[in-house]
Amino acid sequence: MAAVCIASRVLTKKVLSSKALPAVSQSSRKLHFSIYGKSNAKVSDGISTQYPVVDHEFDAVVVGAGGAGLRAAFGLSEAGFNTACVTKLFPTRSHTVAAQGGINAALGNMENDDWRWHFYDTVKGSDWLGDQDAIHYMTEQAPHAVVELENFGMPFSRTDDGKIYQRAFGGQSLKYGKGGQAHRCCCVADRTGHSLLHTLYGRSLRYDTSYFVEYFALDLLMEDGECKGVIALCMEDGSIHRFRSKNTVIATGGYGRTYFSCTSAHTSTGDGNAMVTRAGLPCQDLEFVQFHPTGIYGAGCLITEGCRGEGGILINSEGERFMERYAPNAKDLASRDVVSRSITIEIREGRGCGPEKDHAYLQLHHLPPQQLATRLPGISETAMIFAGVDVTKEPIPVLPTVHYNMGGIPTNYKGQVTRSTLVPIFFIHPQVQKGKKCRLGSTVARTSAVPQAFFYCGCLSCSPQVITHTPEEGDKVVPGLFACGEAACASVHGANRLGANSLLDLVVFGRACAHTITDICTPGEKLSPLKPNAGEESVANLDRLRFANGSLRTSEIRLNMQKTMQNHAAVFRTGKVLKEGCDKMDAVYQTLDDIKTFDRGIVWNTDLVETLELQNLMLNAVQTINSAEQRQESRGAHSREDFKDREDEYDYTKPLAGQQRKPIEQHWRKHTLSTVDPKTGKVTLKYRPVIDNSLDAEDCAAVPPAIRSY
Amino acid sequence: STVKTASFSILFLRAGQTKPGFLPRIRDEFRQNSNIKKTDVMHIEYLYRRGQRQLDQLKDVNTKQLGTFSKPQAES
């Protein structure tokens, strides 16, 4: 007869009092927590599995040790916080190491440059879905961040007079788009990510961060809407570890592995997004998945945009430089989504290369071999190994491949995770009248004497429920939770990311999280109490998966998911195909209940870890495809064949005078917030407005939306 | 060797004195692994290396307590 023990902790002495209750629950999945060794006598007969739990307490916990995670971790250690860094991979194996291109910063080494031009380029690149305050923060901090990296010892490529070499990169221009191509991507040949990560790792060893390497983070420990820590599985010995802390930073990267063909490592499984989803919080803009134009055909390995920056061109089967037709000014250095679409259209119209006419060629052999050897050594090697091509003689076969996730955990520009509280408001705001500007700078469309569901300016700072103005304008901060890097959505990349902005995003927002935590907390603060059995559901799930005995293997379900996503949510999307994809994804999600694992051990159980990763990938995949199906417009990386235009509050293809501003429910210039019920796989979508004002309107004016053409 | 194991276990016990839940767990772990053959050197060395890492972690001031999640036996 199973006895269920309830553990309670008396405050003064850590003594366990146990009450034996008659067994009531049918489910044998109920776990109970007890401090080891105490009062186990009654229960010891009835125990089938035990999971030892080690409890740790820190001032801050960072999940993930890539570029953003390391920067946040040692930033916090530098500020005196007791920091833990929990990572499932050794820090130098994080996917940041694979980044090739570079970091954008308006240093002005190659020509006169201004960070406000970089700001403009990023806002335009995001197709006006990026939050301009976060973009302002990032582009203004960029030169400082790059100089800081250089001071850490990062071996940037140099010009002849010893300054940091900056190359041309997609979407970068001078003088707000009117001054031609800008050269602002600081690089280390074509191995910038590798260099960045190793520099950060080397630097981090100077500080006393506690690294928990090869610990797989399972879930957040949430209580009363506040994040109180993380629970993780130590892969080496199978013990469970609970890290209690007042501040948790998520820097777990993206989820490229939801697609069959991607440039991401096998470890890019969206663990952070899934942890946040399971905690009941929304994820933002997951439908925006970037397809990098030049991934090697077949292998999927990345050929950096830097090739095109150094002068490489894309050609079709007729030998034509087709980008001139699609982007007359920027040509091959147009924004990535434009180039990906162009390649896809060329292939569809029959001008693809190769025997199956299903890819394009990237030509580099017209460049001097010496330049290829100094500036692009990495891709020369990659092309030889994965495509068997000598770049000094032949072109590389390339195809658009999934590369980056613009969406993620919604944060403000300081790195704090936010949850939007757009709820129906049934009052009239006394102060805001039609035509007046609300704090966001948007004009209120109308007020009415009749209670209505939403305010048309779409922001809650005009709501009577918010008596004091909050900088988060209706977005409420989730206490104790931060996010940075690819896992976060600040949102600096909006609907499309410009190349070389991601590495910048990592270091700037990693540092921003550290600064914000330093501002709001002090080291050594007492932790709020946590329920003794916190994290029980995560361990129950782990246990269930460890002994799963269905009929489908993890690899089969994963392949089904990847093929569905690749076929139904690719570069060009159609309503019918997306809907079919949503239904198929839902069916695949349900098959998770029928999963079968083979390794019953707990030490280095990679079958179990892959299954946990599959659960995480599934949550990301269902949100991606459902958000894509709902968004009926084409914006940035999300292009719909049945809704080819961008739907903003005004029609920016025509003069604005005389146009009526559309209410937020009728246009699509808004962020998607998606939540999932993990038990059923049902996705719920809400929306939140874009932040259109920069941090300082006098220093850097916000960019009003316009047509996006290159 | 048994001498090494004994001195090793003393280090663990000392580390776990002030923290709840450590001593029974440490005892259990040592008892569990006591039946390894003396000649199974690879296994012993692996456990020793793992034990070193665990000791460092347990000694750390941030590690507060050891507990356990137990699953009751399924109803037959």
Side-chain angles (χ1 to χ4, degrees):
Chain A
M1 183 136 136
V4 177
C5 223
I6 299 168
S8 66
R9 218 189 324 162
V10 178
L11 285 172
T12 46
K13 287 191 289 181
K14 292 199 169 74
V15 165
L16 192 69
S17 73
S18 65
K19 287 186 253 176
L21 293 179
V24 175
S25 64
Q26 299 298 84
S27 136
S28 59
R29 296 299 169 205
K30 207 88 182 86
L31 299 173
H32 65 267
F33 176 79
S34 51
I35 298 177
Y36 210 96
K38 305 257 163 99
S39 324
N40 267 347
K42 287 205 177 93
V43 199
S44 55
D45 300 336
I47 295 204
S48 63
T49 344
Q50 268 195 342
Y51 292 93
V53 180
V54 184
D55 285 330
H56 308 260
E57 286 179 11
F58 285 94
D59 292 327
V61 176
V62 178
V63 184
L70 281 181
R71 187 66 189 83
F74 75 71
L76 286 164
S77 290
E78 199 176 17
F81 285 83
N82 209 0
T83 315
C85 186
V86 178
T87 164
K88 71 178 181 184
L89 299 169
F90 190 77
T92 55
R93 304 288 186 201
S94 305
H95 193 47
T96 309
V97 81
Q100 296 173 348
I103 310 188
N104 284 330
L107 294 171
N109 290 343
M110 310 295 280
E111 69 241 324
N112 225 8
D113 206 353
D114 189 344
W115 65 263
R116 295 167 189 84
W117 303 341
H118 184 192
F119 169 80
Y120 168 81
D121 290 329
T122 308
V123 172
K124 177 179 172 189
S126 75
D127 221 343
W128 282 279
L129 199 70
D131 293 327
Q132 297 199 22
D133 59 347
I135 299 178
H136 175 152
Y137 182 75
M138 185 179 83
T139 49
E140 192 180 8
Q141 295 289 319
H144 175 90
V146 170
V147 169
E148 189 185 52
L149 283 172
E150 203 239 355
N151 291 343
F152 288 161
M154 188 161 161
F156 282 104
S157 292
R158 300 281 169 175
T159 57
D160 289 333
D161 33 322
K163 292 203 179 152
I164 294 177
Y165 171 69
Q166 295 180 284
R167 60 156 65 115
F169 228 71
Q172 303 292 337
S173 65
L174 298 165
K175 297 203 184 73
Y176 304 104
K178 303 184 190 68
Q181 179 70 39
H183 294 76
R184 69 170 72 100
C185 171
C186 312
C187 59
V188 179
D190 61 350
R191 297 172 177 138
T192 318
H194 179 276
S195 180
L196 173 84
L197 191 59
H198 281 257
T199 308
L200 287 177
Y201 178 65
R203 184 73 189 183
S204 70
L205 297 175
R206 284 174 179 245
Y207 304 98
D208 62 350
T209 316
S210 308
Y211 284 95
F212 292 87
V213 176
E214 288 168 349
Y215 280 65
F216 188 88
L218 299 168
D219 270 306
L220 299 173
L221 298 171
M222 300 285 292
E223 209 166 278
D224 307 320
E226 199 181 314
C227 181
K228 297 196 176 178
V230 185
I231 181 168
L233 165 75
C234 173
M235 297 202 273
E236 188 190 3
D237 61 9
S239 53
I240 310 286
H241 292 252
R242 296 193 298 198
F243 298 91
R244 288 183 58 194
S245 96
K246 207 156 176 265
N247 306 293
T248 308
V249 181
I250 298 184
T252 48
Y255 57 96
R257 282 285 151 181
T258 45
Y259 282 80
F260 182 68
S261 173
C262 61
T263 63
S264 323
H266 289 279
T267 48
S268 293
T269 50
D271 301 323
N273 294 355
M275 278 161 51
V276 157
T277 304
R278 281 192 291 263
L281 298 169
C283 285
Q284 182 170 276
D285 293 341
L286 289 188
E287 65 267 38
F288 296 104
V289 176
Q290 182 172 73
F291 284 78
H292 193 285
T294 52
I296 291 189
Y297 170 66
C301 298
L302 182 67
I303 298 291
T304 177
E305 200 167 335
C307 298
R308 289 173 279 137
E310 297 290 337
I313 58 177
L314 287 162
I315 53 176
N316 58 16
S317 57
E318 292 164 11
E320 179 205 356
R321 185 183 184 182
F322 58 85
M323 281 311 301
E324 281 180 348
R325 277 187 281 122
Y326 295 95
N329 294 326
K331 305 193 187 63
D332 298 88
L333 283 173
S335 202
R336 283 179 184 176
D337 53 333
V338 172
V339 183
S340 293
R341 279 195 286 271
S342 314
I343 298 179
T344 313
I345 294 174
E346 288 292 304
I347 294 170
R348 270 212 301 214
E349 291 181 355
R351 291 186 289 275
C353 310
E356 318 240 334
K357 295 189 176 302
D358 55 356
H359 55 268
Y361 278 145
L362 175 63
Q363 181 180 295
L364 292 170
H365 54 76
H366 59 284
L367 300 171
Q370 196 248 352
Q371 187 188 6
L372 285 177
T374 27
R375 302 293 185 203
L376 301 172
I379 57 101
S380 307
E381 202 182 324
T382 309
M384 177 52 84
I385 296 174
F386 292 98
V389 152
D390 180 356
V391 294
T392 54
K393 297 194 182 67
E394 308 155 279
I396 314 173
V398 292
L399 191 64
T401 316
V402 171
H403 178 62
Y404 185 84
N405 304 105
M406 270 71 75
I409 305 168
T411 68
N412 57 20
Y413 77 93
K414 291 185 259 189
Q416 296 169 302
V417 174
T418 55
R419 61 187 314 170
S420 186
T421 52
L422 265 175
V423 290
I425 307 157
F426 293 107
F427 300 95
I428 317 152
H429 195 305
Q431 289 159 12
V432 181
Q433 299 153 8
K434 177 180 177 177
K436 285 269 183 355
K437 293 233 183 273
C438 75
R439 196 183 169 275
L440 273 192
S442 50
T443 313
V444 178
R446 65 175 202 256
T447 53
S448 150
V450 177
Q452 43 195 336
F454 293 92
F455 279 111
Y456 288 93
C457 71
C459 69
L460 270 190
S461 64
C462 298
S463 141
Q465 293 175 319
V466 178
I467 315 257
T468 51
H469 274 312
T470 55
E472 287 84 14
E473 79 280 320
D475 297 326
K476 269 181 19 199
V477 164
V478 176
L481 193 58
F482 299 79
C484 55
E486 192 176 345
C489 184
S491 153
V492 279
H493 307 304
N496 171 64
R497 172 174 77 81
L498 291 182
N501 267 355
S502 174
L503 290 179
L504 178 61
D505 174 18
L506 301 185
V507 286
V508 169
F509 287 99
R511 198 166 132 263
C513 278
H515 280 185
T516 313
I517 294 175
T518 315
D519 287 338
I520 61 181
C521 290
T522 46
E525 265 182 47
K526 197 151 173 5
L527 295 176
S528 57
L530 185 66
K531 280 210 295 283
N533 66 340
E536 184 196 335
E537 305 81 33
S538 319
V539 181
N541 180 47
L542 186 91
D543 181 74
R544 186 175 63 85
L545 290 178
R546 186 175 154 208
F547 296 107
N549 208 5
S551 54
L552 290 167
R553 316 166 98 101
T554 309
S555 47
E556 283 166 13
I557 304 181
R558 189 173 52 220
L559 192 62
N560 290 342
M561 171 194 70
Q562 288 175 335
K563 287 249 147 94
T564 309
M565 291 299 285
Q566 191 75 38
N567 293 333
H568 296 267
V571 177
F572 279 107
R573 303 164 169 182
T574 324
K576 198 165 72 74
V577 175
L578 282 171
K579 186 84 193 76
E580 204 185 307
C582 288
D583 296 332
K584 272 199 194 158
M585 261 322 296
D586 187 52
V588 177
Y589 190 91
Q590 306 305 329
T591 60
L592 271 181
D593 293 330
D594 195 22
I595 201 163
K596 184 177 171 61
T597 48
F598 294 86
D599 189 349
R600 301 285 179 235
I602 196 68
V603 173
W604 276 112
N605 189 344
T606 52
D607 197 358
L608 177 63
V609 172
E610 279 189 24
T611 312
L612 290 166
E613 288 177 340
L614 177 62
Q615 279 191 329
N616 295 341
L617 281 173
M618 275 297 196
L619 286 173
N620 284 290
V622 291
Q623 290 183 68
T624 304
I625 202 163
N626 278 280
S627 315
E629 198 254 327
Q630 284 298 312
R631 185 172 277 269
Q632 293 176 337
E633 62 150 2
S634 288
R635 181 182 296 269
H638 173 72
S639 51
R640 293 274 298 247
E641 307 232 44
D642 41 352
F643 293 94
K644 287 200 194 320
D645 303 310
R646 207 176 73 185
E647 298 264 338
D648 300 316
E649 64 275 24
Y650 293 111
D651 185 352
Y652 290 100
T653 55
K654 306 193 184 74
L656 290 187
Q659 284 196 43
Q660 183 76 298
R661 191 203 171 89
K662 286 192 210 145
I664 194 167
E665 310 89 49
Q666 290 179 21
H667 70 84
W668 283 102
R669 201 164 73 84
K670 53 195 181 186
H671 293 297
T672 313
L673 289 174
S674 49
T675 43
V676 188
D677 175 5
K679 291 190 196 57
T680 57
K682 182 160 171 349
V683 178
T684 317
L685 297 174
K686 290 200 186 59
Y687 296 90
R688 92 170 237 269
V690 177
I691 300 175
D692 282 322
N693 57 325
S694 65
L695 288 175
D696 184 348
E698 276 145 32
D699 190 23
C700 170
V703 182
I707 311 175
R708 181 166 168 258
S709 69
Y710 288 97
Chain B
S1 78
T2 33
V3 175
K4 226 186 191 179
T5 323
S7 53
F8 200 30
S9 60
I10 291 172
L11 286 173
F12 265 98
L13 294 171
R14 227 177 265 154
Q17 256 162 16
T18 49
K19 305 187 187 180
F22 276 36
L23 296 179
R25 170 96 183 99
I26 297 164
R27 258 183 244 131
D28 270 358
E29 176 93 14
F30 272 92
R31 207 162 287 150
Q32 217 176 342
N33 288 321
S34 62
N35 56 1
I36 304 173
K37 275 161 56 146
K38 237 198 313 196
T39 48
D40 192 359
V41 179
M42 291 253 294
H43 195 176
I44 293 174
E45 285 189 349
Y46 159 71
L47 286 173
Y48 178 72
R49 278 193 300 268
R50 202 177 83 177
Q52 275 289 48
R53 276 192 283 264
Q54 285 172 334
L55 177 63
D56 288 334
Q57 203 180 76
L58 296 186
K59 271 205 303 210
D60 187 54
V61 71
N62 298 310
T63 312
K64 300 297 184 194
Q65 72 172 18
L66 272 184
T68 168
F69 276 111
S70 329
K71 187 172 85 176
Q73 213 143 49
E75 306 272 86
S76 52

